[in-house]
Amino acid sequence: MTTREILVIPDKRLRLVSEPVKKIDKGIRALVEDMFETMYAAPGIGLAAIQIGMPQRIITMDLAKKDDPKEPQVFINPEIVSASEEVSAYEEGCLSIPEYYEEVARPSAVKVKYLDLDGKLHEVEATGLLATCLQHEIDHLNGVLFIDHISKLKRDMVIRKFKKVAKRGEPVKPFSEDEKPSHHIG
Ligand code: K1U
Ligand code: ZN
């Protein structure tokens, strides 16, 4: 098992559309192990394979509370079958956009079909954090980031900051109050 480097914006690989997994073999199992190791080390509650540079439609997740036993979940080739009309907002973060958090409105409930590591087909009716996290991670598989769901003003501010940091080779610091736009524009 290896902890892999997590790609950070503006890395263009984060915009790739990931390929479906054709066969769940030893290579895929090893990749899933590395994804869990990387996700727990970050720490994060979810990870898409493309975040470690592997454009395959695989998600790892663990939504267990801090001191509770681990609840690792793997979603292979996940697809949203249906989504509620009702939306709810949740403050999201992203390991590929460190130290930035913003409210995102998404359908409050989604039905998702996916394969487990044995290739067995499942369907889950997700609500709450599971619904939010599944939609966030499935977005990653399609090259979409949570900042694509916020205002252009805020998105441009985030991208500008990360481009500057990448150019200078600086570590990413939390956003200060004066770096955050205080009003919404389109
Ligand atoms: O996809 C990712 O970048 C992982 C991301 C998942 C996510 C978080 C919140 C809403 C939607 C999707 C994260 O895990 S960010 C880190 C995080 O939320 C967290 C880390 C440690 C403890 C609790 C939460
Ligand atoms: Zn993310």
Side-chain angles (χ1 to χ4, degrees):
M1 262 199 290
T2 316
T3 306
R4 311 263 201 113
E5 191 186 328
I6 296 176
L7 306 183
V8 170
I9 61 165
D11 194 306
K12 289 190 170 68
R13 288 171 287 178
L14 290 166
R15 293 306 191 175
L16 291 174
V17 176
S18 296
E19 291 291 329
V21 173
K22 289 197 186 87
K23 187 165 180 258
I24 303 169
D25 56 16
K26 251 171 69 177
I28 294 294
R29 284 175 213 282
L31 172 58
V32 167
E33 283 192 11
D34 286 357
M35 287 175 66
F36 275 118
E37 173 121 341
T38 306
M39 183 186 84
Y40 286 126
I45 55 173
L47 192 76
I50 190 57
Q51 292 181 275
I52 57 166
M54 303 296 288
Q56 306 245 43
R57 300 187 81 83
I58 306 174
I59 293 166
T60 53
M61 203 178 288
D62 192 331
L63 303 182
K65 295 206 177 75
K66 197 168 167 265
D67 295 317
D68 287 357
K70 284 182 178 172
E71 287 171 21
Q73 301 186 75
V74 184
F75 301 87
I76 297 172
N77 299 341
E79 278 176 47
I80 296 178
V81 176
S82 62
S84 62
E85 279 187 17
E86 185 192 74
V87 295
S88 50
Y90 189 88
E91 185 166 87
E92 298 192 16
C94 182
L95 299 174
S96 296
I97 313 174
E99 305 292 345
Y100 183 70
Y101 303 89
E102 193 60 69
E103 275 210 344
V104 176
R106 298 183 186 268
S108 346
V110 283
K111 195 185 280 184
V112 173
K113 68 173 185 181
Y114 65 96
L115 300 177
D116 66 18
L117 266 178
D118 297 317
K120 192 172 163 220
L121 182 65
H122 295 262
E123 199 164 88
V124 62
E125 298 246 17
T127 56
L129 182 56
L130 178 60
T132 299
C133 203
L134 271 169
Q135 290 174 81
H136 177 116
E137 301 305 338
I138 291 171
D139 268 358
H140 273 303
L141 305 183
N142 295 322
V144 174
L145 299 169
F146 86 94
I147 52 170
D148 299 332
H149 297 289
I150 65 176
S151 73
K152 184 170 166 10
L153 178 76
K154 288 182 178 174
R155 181 167 59 252
D156 288 349
M157 179 272 300
V158 174
I159 293 169
R160 207 169 40 245
K161 168 155 176 163
F162 277 88
K163 278 187 175 163
K164 209 159 87 181
V165 161
K167 204 168 157 189
R168 293 182 182 165
E170 290 170 349
V172 185
K173 286 189 295 209
F175 282 67
S176 61
E177 275 315 308
D178 56 327
E179 283 176 307
K180 293 182 189 167
S182 55
H183 56 290
H184 278 270
I185 300 175

